[in-house]
């Protein structure tokens, strides 16, 4: 090999070829003397660095009662050598088992909460206690909280590692209030519900106003309070055009002046006329117990819809009214 | 359904009652005697099927099962006070439970008692697929349906022959330049006019309805108004005008006439109605409750009424139905007589009469 290399070196560097050739020949000779026995490998011109043996994983040195929050103090990816649990994850091949944790990409992909064990959370709480104030002793039940503080404001603050502390999502303000804690009469409540539309939930009686049109949280909060004030005052006012409210606009069925009332009145009048009983007048007819029952059954039928209960009630009341037993 | 109805009704008038209903000879008398005969275990009863196989010819008879809703209705009808305004009874229930047949039962009963029957077999047929819509001569904004009107007049004539000569019209009606019906002529003439001059059929129907309504209070006869599928009168139609705009039911003269009949501003009779989802337009398949099918308009128009629920078979009714099929050798499958087979049929049909009938058709 040395002999073959020597004329090549001479050919490549014609300048200081004698000295270099000598050096290279010497070095080549020395290197070839301690060359590794794998001479057939022509691609490894230089020595491959010696590989260290892999150390045993840290899990073998962990004791059972160690301080885990110091192993995972922050959210960190899953390190199989640092987690002493024999976890397997993955879809098994036929007649096999899921893959082990070493080199498992699936375990790396999923989020883990190894930094939030109960012990760690307890430590966080202890650290945060210094910054907390006492809950007022007088507010020991939900009803008292609702009574004294009916309006609830929800805001979110965002913290992230990055060059800027601003987050545009932090300007959203949600205002929640129960309508029963506002002083509204029947007309005002119906008008308010029509004004806010989808923001009112009938089952929980909660009005939710979510504002994010201003750039700052403080401005959004002011705007939400302003909206609540305006809604309250406007719903108490009665405009002229509200007189034109038709039956189709009504939220619930109203018996007075309805076609059902007219029908039953006509029927009863005809019945009385057939019996030659002409002295009765309308108010008396409407005030009888049967008509009251009938009115209740019709109102429940229209408001709640058809079900066995309402229909049977209606049937009984009509039978009594028309003397059909 | 229309075919079946005419056969039953005409049968009631023409044949002797004893011969007509093979399986039910004592039923009318037993009904008259025992008002509270709720559970029809002892009276001879049989089922009837509304299938295309037309069991009237198959079994040589048309039998009805006497069931609770019909009995309830008959009890009310027997106790009606004819001086009071007509009471409306609405039969409602899921599809296939027997509303139409309960209606037929009631009609048969009233026919036996010599009431004048005004029966509209299916109101849905009048609001869809009508050909030959004409603009009404009587009122320019309304539309006539000559085909439907004339077929109804034919059925009405066969059902109520006797009354047509007895009832006299109370006004003069001018059909066109040459023809008119004088005051005092029998109602049969109006019906004939409608049948011969098909163009005037709708007007003839309107006149018949008006006359019957005004004269029913006089006491000469009792009027039973029976409409099947009454929710068609207040729904939507699939009919269109010439400019392809949709038509509302109010613009049909026939519908207007029936709506007037169904109002309770007359006395001397009763009004029995059925709600039906099969054949209804633009209503979901599972809808069967009154407010769902009638809508707001219909409910307000019919209020106050007595709703009567028609439900699936009770265990005894189911047994009797299967017995009837077995007696007439309708069920040929060898496992049909066993307890297992009956339980299977009960499970598959969920005691729904219509479903059971369809299942047994294959066996």
């Amino acid at each position: 090999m040395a002999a073959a290399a020597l004329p090549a070196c001479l050919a490549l560097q014609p300048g200081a070829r004698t000295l270099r050739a000598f050096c290279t020949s010497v070095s080549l000779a020395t290197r070839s003397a301690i060359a590794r026995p794998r001479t057939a490998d022509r691609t490894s011109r230089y020595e491959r660095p010696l590989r260290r043996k892999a150390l045993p994983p840290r899990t073998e040195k962990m004791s059972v009662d160690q301080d885990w929050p110091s192993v995972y103090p922050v959210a960190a990816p899953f390190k199989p050598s640092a987690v002493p649990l024999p976890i397997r994850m993955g879809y098994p091949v036929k007649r096999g088992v899921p893959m082990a944790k070493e080199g498992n990409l699936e375990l790396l992909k999923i989020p883990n909460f190894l930094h939030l064990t109960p012990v760690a959370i307890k430590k966080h709480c202890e650290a945060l206690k210094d910054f907390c104030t006492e809950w007022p002793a007088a507010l020991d039940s939900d009803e008292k909280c609702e009574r004294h503080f009916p309006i609830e404001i929800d805001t979110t603050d965002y913290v992230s590692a990055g060059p800027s502390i601003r987050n545009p999502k932090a300007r959203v303000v949600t205002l929640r209030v129960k309508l029963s804690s506002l002083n509204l009469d029947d007309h005002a409540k119906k008008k308010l519900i029509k004004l806010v539309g989808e923001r009112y939930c009938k089952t929980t009686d909660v009005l939710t106003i979510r504002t994010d049109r201003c750039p700052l949280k403080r401005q959004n909060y002011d705007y939400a309070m302003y909206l609540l004030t305006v809604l309250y005052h406007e719903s108490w006012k009665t405009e002229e055009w509200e007189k034109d409210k038709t039956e189709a606009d009504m939220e619930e069925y109203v018996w007075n002046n309805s076609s059902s009332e007219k029908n039953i009145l006509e029927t009863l009048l005809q019945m009385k006329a057939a019996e030659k009983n002409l002295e009765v007048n309308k108010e008396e007819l409407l005030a009888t117990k049967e008509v009251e029952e009938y009115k209740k059954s019709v109102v429940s039928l229209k408001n709640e819809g058809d079900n066995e209960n309402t229909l049977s009630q209606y049937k009984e009341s009509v039978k009594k009214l028309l003397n059909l037993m | 359904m229309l075919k079946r109805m005419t056969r039953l009704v005409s049968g009631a008038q023409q044949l002797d009652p004893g011969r007509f209903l093979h399986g039910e000879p004592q039923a009318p008398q037993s009904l008259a005697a025992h008002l509270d005969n709720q559970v029809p275990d002892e009276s001879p009863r049989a089922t009837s099927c509304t299938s295309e196989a037309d069991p009237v010819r198959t079994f040589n008879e048309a039998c009805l099962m006497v069931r609770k809703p019909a009995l309830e209705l008959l009890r009310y009808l027997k106790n009606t006070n004819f001086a009071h305004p007509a009471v409306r009874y609405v039969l409602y229930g899921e599809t296939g439970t027997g509303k139409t047949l309960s209606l037929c039962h009631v009609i048969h009963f009233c026919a036996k008692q010599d009431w004048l029957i005004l029966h509209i077999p299916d109101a849905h047929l009048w609001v869809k697929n009508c050909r030959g819509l004409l603009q009404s001569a009587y009122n320019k904004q309304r539309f006539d349906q000559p085909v439907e009107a004339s077929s109804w007049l034919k059925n009405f004539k066969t059902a109520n022959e006797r009354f047509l000569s007895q009832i006299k019209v109370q006004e003069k009606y001018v059909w066109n330049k040459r023809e008119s019906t004088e005051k005092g002529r029998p109602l049969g003439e109006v019906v004939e006019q409608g049948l011969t001059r098909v163009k005037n059929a709708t007007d003839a129907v309107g006149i018949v309805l008006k006359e019957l309504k005004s004269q029913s209070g006089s006491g000469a006869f009792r009027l039973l108004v029976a409409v099947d599928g009454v929710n068609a009168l207040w729904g939507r139609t699939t009919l269109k005008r010439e400019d392809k705009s949709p038509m509302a039911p109010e613009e049909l003269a026939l519908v207007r006439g029936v709506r007037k009949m169904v109002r309770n501003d007359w006395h001397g009779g009763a009004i029995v109605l059925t709600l039906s989802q099969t054949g209804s337009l633009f209503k979901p398949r599972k809808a069967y409750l009154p407010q769902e099918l009638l809508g707001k308009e219909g409910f307000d128009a019919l209020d106050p009424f007595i709703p009567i629920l028609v439900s699936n078979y009770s265990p005894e009714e189911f047994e009797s139905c299967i017995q009837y099929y077995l007696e007439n050798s309708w069920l040929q499958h060898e496992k049909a007589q066993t307890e297992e087979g009956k339980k299977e049929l009960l499970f598959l049909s969920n005691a729904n009469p219509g479903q059971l009938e369809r299942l047994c058709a294959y066996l």
Side-chain angles (χ1 to χ4, degrees), chain A residues 260 263 294 301 306 314 319, chain B residues 72 76 84 291 300 303 307:
Chain A
S260 179
N263 284 347
Y294 174 73
L301 199 63
D306 293 329
Y314 177 72
K319 275 194 336 198
Chain B
E72 197 185 329
Y76 293 142
H84 284 179
Q291 279 200 85
D300 286 335
D303 193 35

Side-chain angles (χ1 to χ4, degrees), chain A residues 170-219:
Chain A
R171 71 182 196 279
V172 174
V173 171
T174 308
L175 182 147
R176 275 181 294 128
V177 66
K178 276 212 170 155
L179 286 190
S180 47
S181 49
L182 295 173
N183 177 22
L184 295 168
D185 73 349
D186 192 46
H187 158 264
K189 183 162 181 189
K190 288 201 175 125
K191 185 166 175 184
L192 187 94
I193 293 174
K194 269 202 197 291
L195 280 173
V196 298
E198 285 216 350
R199 297 173 184 81
Y200 174 70
C201 170
K202 216 164 167 185
T203 38
T204 55
D205 191 36
V206 165
L207 167 66
T208 313
I209 300 179
R210 189 174 180 272
T211 42
D212 64 348
R213 57 168 65 183
C214 306
L216 292 184
K217 190 190 298 184
R218 198 182 325 160
Q219 294 167 344

Side-chain angles (χ1 to χ4, degrees), chain B residues 14-294:
Chain B
Q14 287 153 17
L15 296 174
D16 186 45
R19 265 191 300 140
F20 173 61
L21 276 186
H22 165 78
E24 218 188 332
Q26 300 109 19
Q29 287 93 320
S30 68
L31 283 173
H34 310 287
L35 286 177
D36 295 334
N37 192 7
Q38 295 292 327
V39 179
D41 271 327
E42 56 273 16
S43 58
R45 45 182 173 31
T47 53
S48 113
C49 340
T50 50
S51 72
E52 300 81 44
D54 203 4
V56 180
R57 259 181 246 133
T58 322
F59 290 153
N60 287 327
E61 64 197 11
C63 300
L64 283 177
M65 191 191 276
V66 178
R67 291 175 71 194
K68 271 209 186 89
L71 283 176
E72 197 185 329
L73 242 188
L74 293 178
R75 203 176 44 158
Y76 293 142
L77 283 177
K78 274 190 267 257
N79 298 340
T80 36
N81 183 341
F82 293 104
H84 284 179
V87 185
R88 288 173 286 211
Y89 307 93
V90 175
L91 291 163
Y92 71 98
E94 293 177 3
T95 40
T97 46
K99 302 181 285 288
T100 307
L101 284 181
S102 303
L103 188 72
C104 291
H105 187 146
V106 169
I107 291 175
H108 178 250
F109 174 78
C110 293
K112 285 283 184 55
Q113 310 257 324
D114 270 349
W115 288 38
L116 207 167
I117 314 281
L118 201 81
H119 176 62
I120 297 170
D122 197 357
H124 291 298
L125 294 174
W126 289 1
V127 296
K128 56 182 182 178
N129 303 336
C130 294
R131 317 199 74 209
L133 273 180
L134 299 171
Q135 206 185 27
S136 168
Y138 179 66
N139 186 334
K140 284 283 173 303
Q141 280 143 357
R142 302 205 202 134
F143 289 88
D144 279 356
Q145 289 153 297
V147 179
E148 282 78 23
S150 53
S151 65
W152 185 82
L153 277 175
K154 230 186 348 227
N155 291 334
F156 179 71
K157 188 170 146 187
T158 38
N160 302 304
E161 286 276 11
R162 295 181 298 118
F163 291 104
L164 291 180
S165 41
Q166 284 174 12
I167 303 175
K168 309 278 185 251
V169 294
Q170 287 173 340
E171 266 183 43
K172 179 173 159 160
Y173 297 106
V174 179
W175 301 106
N176 50 35
K177 269 187 273 196
R178 269 165 276 171
E179 291 167 20
S180 68
T181 310
E182 300 296 325
K183 182 170 153 176
R185 303 294 300 160
L187 200 61
E189 269 195 28
V190 175
V191 176
E192 283 305 324
Q193 178 73 23
L195 283 172
T196 42
R197 295 258 182 282
V198 181
K199 263 193 167 171
N200 296 335
T202 320
D203 293 328
V205 172
I207 291 171
V208 163
L209 294 177
K210 196 169 93 167
E211 288 294 324
L212 287 177
K213 191 167 166 177
S214 54
Q215 292 190 20
S216 66
S218 61
F221 58 89
R222 310 226 186 104
L223 181 60
L224 176 77
V225 178
V227 185
D228 200 345
V230 73
N231 46 321
L233 300 178
W234 287 283
R236 286 160 63 183
T237 68
T238 51
L239 306 174
K240 293 199 181 23
R241 295 189 209 109
E242 283 90 28
D243 53 355
K244 307 269 196 283
S245 55
M247 208 188 288
E250 292 84 41
E251 297 176 31
L252 293 168
L254 281 180
V255 170
R256 282 190 91 101
V258 183
R259 276 197 199 175
K260 278 189 222 154
M261 283 313 284
V262 165
R263 277 179 63 191
N264 63 345
D265 48 1
W266 53 278
H267 57 273
I271 308 175
V272 183
L273 310 166
T274 335
L275 298 177
S276 158
Q277 195 278 332
T278 7
S280 73
L281 296 162
F282 307 105
K283 292 279 179 224
R285 200 160 59 87
K286 301 272 183 189
Y288 73 95
L289 294 163
Q291 279 200 85
E292 285 169 357
L293 285 175
L294 284 172

Side-chain angles (χ1 to χ4, degrees), chain A residues 119-265:
Chain A
V119 181
I121 293 181
K122 234 191 188 127
K123 280 199 181 167
H124 295 326
C125 289
E126 290 300 325
L128 284 172
K129 265 207 174 47
D130 297 333
F131 301 102
C132 296
T133 53
E134 285 254 349
W135 182 260
L139 290 177
D140 47 6
S141 73
D142 275 338
E143 295 88 46
K144 284 200 196 148
C145 292
E146 262 192 42
R147 193 154 32 100
H148 296 287
F149 301 98
I151 301 181
E152 297 178 19
I153 308 280
D154 297 328
T155 49
T156 321
D157 292 301
Y158 296 83
V159 173
S160 65
S164 148
I165 56 166
R166 314 272 171 221
N167 191 322
K169 292 198 274 191
R171 71 182 196 279
V172 174
V173 171
T174 308
L175 182 147
R176 275 181 294 128
V177 66
K178 276 212 170 155
L179 286 190
S180 47
S181 49
L182 295 173
N183 177 22
L184 295 168
D185 73 349
D186 192 46
H187 158 264
K189 183 162 181 189
K190 288 201 175 125
K191 185 166 175 184
L192 187 94
I193 293 174
K194 269 202 197 291
L195 280 173
V196 298
E198 285 216 350
R199 297 173 184 81
Y200 174 70
C201 170
K202 216 164 167 185
T203 38
T204 55
D205 191 36
V206 165
L207 167 66
T208 313
I209 300 179
R210 189 174 180 272
T211 42
D212 64 348
R213 57 168 65 183
C214 306
L216 292 184
K217 190 190 298 184
R218 198 182 325 160
Q219 294 167 344
N220 277 319
Y221 169 74
D222 289 337
Y223 180 60
M225 298 302 282
Y226 159 75
L227 275 182
L228 186 64
T229 326
V230 160
L231 279 170
Y232 178 76
H233 289 296
E234 280 299 317
S235 61
W236 270 101
K237 291 189 216 161
T238 312
E239 304 279 341
E240 265 191 32
W241 42 261
E242 286 186 39
K243 286 201 298 285
D244 301 331
K245 193 174 182 189
T246 59
E247 214 181 310
D249 295 324
M250 299 281 181
E251 295 86 8
E252 51 179 22
Y253 185 72
V254 166
W255 163 267
N256 295 330
N257 289 336
S258 72
S259 59
S260 179
E261 193 187 12
K262 287 192 209 107
N263 284 347
I264 195 69
L265 207 56

